[in-house]
Amino acid sequence: MSEIRTFKKILIANRGEIAVRIIRTCKEMGIQSVAVYSTADKDSLHVRLADESVCVGPPLGRDSYLNVQNIIASAEITGADAIHPGYGFLSERAEFVEILQSCEIAFIGPDPYAISKMGDKSEARKTMMAANVPTVPGSDGIVANPKDGLEVARKCGFPVMIKATAGGGGRGMRLVKTEAEFTELFETASQEALSAFGNGGLYVEKFIVEPRHIEVQVLGDKYGNVIHLGERNCSVQRRNQKLIEESPSPGISEKLRKRICEAGVQVAKSIGYHNAGTVEFLVDKDENFYFMEMNTRLQVEHPVTEMVTGFDLVREQIRVAEGHRLSIPQEGVRFHGHSIEFRINAEDPEQDFLPSPGKIERLVYPGGLGVRIDSFVSAGDSILPFYDSMVGKLIVHADTREACIKRAMRALAEFEIRGIASTVKLHQRVLESSGFQGGRFSTAFLANEILETK
Amino acid sequence: METFLRDFSLSRYDTVTVSSEGAEVFLRKKSSFVAKVNASENLSNVPEKANSGTESSNDSSMIKASRVGLFYPKVKVGDTLEENFVFGQIRAMNIMHELKAGKSGVVRKILVSSGDAVEYGDLLLELEGQA
């Protein structure tokens, strides 16, 4: 476990901007890179940038980027030492990591134990309660029937959330406002969870009214050392999909910032976590915070943390996966300035965020001091209907939040994109709003204050 | 709709069904159109890819790799294939996967040497005189 295994060649089991992001760090570290791609992506930037590439299947993700056999065979025929999963696709599949171990291919991420512990939501909740991390009041684990569920709901007080233990993406999830509707909603949630995840297990939690979403970036090595790289506020969301993320979080006290970051480290330590991970918390109006879940992978929004700490998170991931110790202790982490990320998606906010795949006729990225673009497309490329609608991410950095907002406004005004719908204008409206500028906004902000008030 | 049709024409799918609010549209590519699109795409292709140019030749006489791994042919030029005939194996993760022809014909060419790596879609065999 403690020996160093230097990677000479890394296969990136992903596509789009994150595959490009990872290949860039591989190049800077002098590590060879292998892209895998579907037939629909054969001209994509990640394939062109990588040293080698292997076609792993037809366009649909389940046939290509989720095709475990073809991806591992690709590592075998190219002689790759390690696989970086990026986010999504195979990044949080414990059984994939177990297969890699049996093939002696390293996985750039945590071990299967941590992935499965955190992948099962009620299991994660129980583990955190045992580790004295604050969790939202609710059931100890799965509730067996509506009657037991109702008892829990009465104890923590309405409104409550019913959640699927295997859940994600809002499926198998119900907000229950009154006692009268509990049993019926419990049963429909259970049905939905069963058909969506093959697991109808539900748990019950108190519903936190207008919470803020604040998450902590953690990084651990294989020797039990864990540090945090500060927090991110991701409260600008639509239906649990993040649109804007920033670090540090505005509108919280220094005391909360310190406590929440320490709690993030405590969560990671309690499960012997190594590699990069994110611990998500809900924060209520009185600055109480509750563990929500841990994402055992690199996040979409990791660049804002990189901008304020100067760390290359992918480099750190590769180093700890090779068996190195963390390159610095907690005291060595220095935070500088403020950073905001904007997800530029091919979606039409005017039409209920309808995905807008198609050819990009014209595309001009903003530039200048403190402006970073993580993308994979240029004019003439297409956003394909088979995958998520992300065009790229605009990440802005400045000394203060105020300066960062001004810089972001300047950068978004430079952003030209034609041929597909995008979220650029929506971001401009958010930046101009007093709610965002004031820095105290909840996850209900976008729906209530921006999308409602057109 | 226009962008969708373009995406579809560039995709490798030959048919697609679109349903929206009770209406259903079924689209099928004409094979000549598929060939044309792919032929023009090949101009900008990565040249070293073994599978570039696959679709511009007559697809029906070609057998392609359905998975990634090391290819071991079990036939020689001149052999006659039946649909369920195992014409070769692909080795991946220390397992040999048998490949069935899926079509019949006489082997004209074997395009990959025994033990060479293949990726999804690579041409393996060329057939002639298929039934």
Side-chain angles (χ1 to χ4, degrees):
Chain A
M1 170 143 184
S2 54
E3 69 195 66
I4 306 281
R5 177 179 173 187
T6 303
F7 303 149
K8 293 189 183 69
K9 193 184 276 188
I10 293 174
L11 181 143
I12 298 95
N14 216 303
R15 65 179 298 279
E17 69 87 18
I18 194 62
V20 170
R21 160 75 192 86
I22 295 160
I23 292 167
R24 284 177 171 150
T25 290
C26 288
K27 285 183 186 286
E28 290 178 14
M29 295 177 79
I31 298 172
Q32 296 280 301
S33 53
V34 180
V36 294
Y37 64 99
S38 74
T39 52
D41 272 338
K42 69 180 189 319
D43 298 323
S44 197
L45 183 60
H46 77 287
V47 181
R48 299 195 312 248
L49 287 183
D51 296 299
E52 290 170 72
S53 61
V54 181
C55 182
V56 289
L60 290 184
R62 64 160 189 263
D63 300 325
S64 49
Y65 298 103
L66 288 168
N67 187 328
V68 170
Q69 291 201 9
N70 281 357
I71 286 171
I72 296 178
S74 302
E76 288 179 342
I77 65 173
T78 56
D81 311 294
I83 291 184
H84 195 305
Y87 53 69
F89 294 125
L90 297 168
S91 60
E92 291 176 287
R93 302 245 177 141
E95 62 289 359
F96 175 61
V97 184
E98 278 162 8
I99 298 169
L100 287 184
Q101 287 174 343
S102 70
C103 300
E104 296 186 2
I105 297 168
F107 178 71
I108 301 173
D111 54 40
Y113 169 81
I115 296 174
S116 43
K117 202 87 181 159
M118 289 300 164
D120 183 309
K121 306 298 175 201
S122 72
E123 181 67 27
R125 197 177 140 76
K126 260 204 281 196
T127 310
M128 289 311 118
M129 286 162 99
N132 286 320
V133 174
T135 55
V136 180
S139 58
D140 285 345
I142 295 170
V143 289
N145 53 54
K147 196 166 154 272
D148 291 0
L150 186 56
E151 205 168 298
V152 173
R154 280 192 190 122
K155 222 180 278 172
C156 49
F158 285 89
V160 296
M161 281 296 266
I162 297 174
K163 292 184 178 179
T165 189
R171 281 182 300 180
M173 203 189 266
R174 287 291 183 281
L175 171 63
V176 190
K177 287 176 184 155
T178 62
E179 209 173 306
E181 56 186 8
F182 186 88
T183 304
E184 196 189 326
L185 289 172
F186 187 95
E187 272 156 8
T188 55
S190 181
Q191 285 296 324
E192 193 175 298
L194 189 64
S195 65
F197 315 114
N199 178 352
L202 301 176
Y203 61 101
V204 176
E205 273 181 7
K206 185 175 175 59
F207 178 66
I208 308 295
V209 179
E210 300 198 354
R212 282 172 285 174
H213 173 121
I214 297 180
E215 59 184 33
V216 180
Q217 177 69 56
V218 295
L219 190 61
D221 63 20
K222 292 179 179 174
Y223 309 91
N225 304 303
V226 180
I227 60 171
H228 70 79
L229 298 175
E231 85 290 356
R232 295 183 287 257
N233 184 324
C234 313
S235 301
V236 181
Q237 305 183 347
R238 178 185 168 270
R239 296 187 189 161
N240 294 319
Q241 296 294 313
K242 299 165 187 168
L243 274 161
I244 299 177
E245 304 97 346
E246 60 183 308
S247 185
S249 171
I252 61 169
S253 65
E254 283 310 309
K255 193 178 152 208
L256 174 64
R257 193 186 321 281
K258 187 164 179 290
R259 282 174 55 220
I260 207 165
C261 288
E262 283 169 1
V265 170
Q266 191 188 341
V267 167
K269 279 191 171 165
S270 73
I271 55 164
Y273 195 84
H274 59 81
N275 218 283
T278 294
V279 187
E280 298 188 336
F281 295 96
L282 289 178
V283 178
D284 71 13
K285 286 180 175 134
D286 306 315
E287 293 208 338
N288 296 307
F289 64 92
Y290 309 99
F291 171 82
M292 184 163 43
E293 62 180 50
M294 180 169 187
N295 295 317
T296 53
R297 55 169 160 81
L298 191 66
Q299 301 271 105
V300 175
E301 59 271 25
H302 77 277
V304 295
T305 299
E306 296 185 324
M307 301 313 280
V308 297
T309 60
F311 264 83
D312 177 339
L313 274 169
V314 174
R315 173 188 289 261
E316 295 303 318
Q317 284 191 293
I318 293 171
R319 281 183 47 84
V320 297
E322 285 180 325
H324 292 281
R325 287 172 183 276
L326 288 179
S327 51
I328 49 162
Q330 187 66 60
E331 309 79 70
V333 181
R334 293 273 176 269
F335 297 95
H336 172 71
H338 197 93
S339 181
I340 311 178
E341 174 183 279
F342 302 86
R343 297 195 189 189
I344 312 297
N345 296 335
E347 291 171 1
D348 189 352
E350 303 289 323
Q351 288 188 60
D352 204 28
F353 292 81
L354 185 74
S356 166
K359 188 174 174 183
I360 304 170
E361 307 288 350
R362 183 171 169 78
L363 181 58
V364 180
Y365 289 125
L369 184 63
V371 175
R372 165 176 171 182
I373 296 285
D374 278 21
S375 179
F376 68 112
V377 287
S378 22
D381 288 345
S382 288
I383 297 299
L384 299 169
F386 318 108
Y387 312 108
D388 70 39
S389 58
M390 187 179 282
V391 177
K393 306 179 303 203
L394 164 66
I395 305 110
V396 176
H397 183 240
D399 285 343
T400 62
R401 185 167 191 262
E402 205 185 349
C404 200
I405 289 174
K406 282 187 180 146
R407 183 163 282 167
M409 284 174 166
R410 187 272 291 171
L412 284 163
E414 285 177 32
F415 216 117
E416 268 188 75
I417 181 159
R418 266 185 246 153
I420 54 169
S422 87
T423 48
V424 169
K425 283 204 168 65
L426 177 75
H427 290 313
Q428 290 175 312
R429 291 217 328 261
V430 171
L431 284 178
E432 283 157 11
S433 71
S434 56
F436 185 79
Q437 291 182 4
R440 269 190 78 101
F441 44 88
S442 78
T443 54
F445 161 75
L446 192 72
N448 294 348
E449 291 181 44
I450 302 294
L451 301 176
E452 284 291 297
T453 60
K454 278 193 305 192
Chain B
M1 193 62 196
E2 193 187 286
T3 53
F4 173 75
L5 283 176
R6 190 173 38 230
D7 284 326
F8 170 57
S9 73
L10 292 174
S11 78
R12 305 239 313 204
Y13 290 127
D14 288 334
T15 61
V16 67
T17 307
V18 185
S19 42
S20 167
E21 296 168 352
E24 216 172 62
V25 180
F26 179 73
L27 302 169
R28 183 200 300 274
K29 283 181 191 169
K30 282 186 183 170
S31 55
S32 61
F33 180 58
V34 178
K36 207 175 102 198
V37 168
N38 283 298
S40 62
E41 265 186 294
N42 285 337
L43 297 174
S44 62
N45 251 353
V46 194
E48 69 268 24
K49 285 279 168 280
N51 67 344
S52 71
T54 48
E55 296 83 5
S56 54
S57 43
N58 183 3
D59 249 22
S60 61
S61 67
M62 294 294 183
I63 295 182
K64 296 183 198 175
S66 54
R67 61 193 316 139
V68 179
L70 304 179
F71 176 61
Y72 298 93
K74 297 287 172 214
V75 290
K76 32 184 215 307
V77 173
D79 284 359
T80 302
L81 295 191
E82 298 299 329
E83 279 191 25
N84 281 327
F85 197 94
V86 174
F87 70 90
Q89 294 175 318
I90 285 181
R91 184 190 168 100
M93 297 166 67
N94 290 325
I95 295 166
M96 296 301 253
H97 300 272
E98 294 190 333
L99 305 174
K100 285 185 180 169
K103 56 183 86 171
S104 52
V106 176
V107 178
R108 186 193 292 173
K109 268 187 205 160
I110 299 172
L111 299 149
V112 177
S113 308
S114 187
D116 277 4
V118 293
E119 58 188 327
Y120 176 85
D122 274 358
L123 296 181
L124 303 176
L125 303 184
E126 191 181 328
L127 305 183
E128 62 184 311
Q130 67 184 101

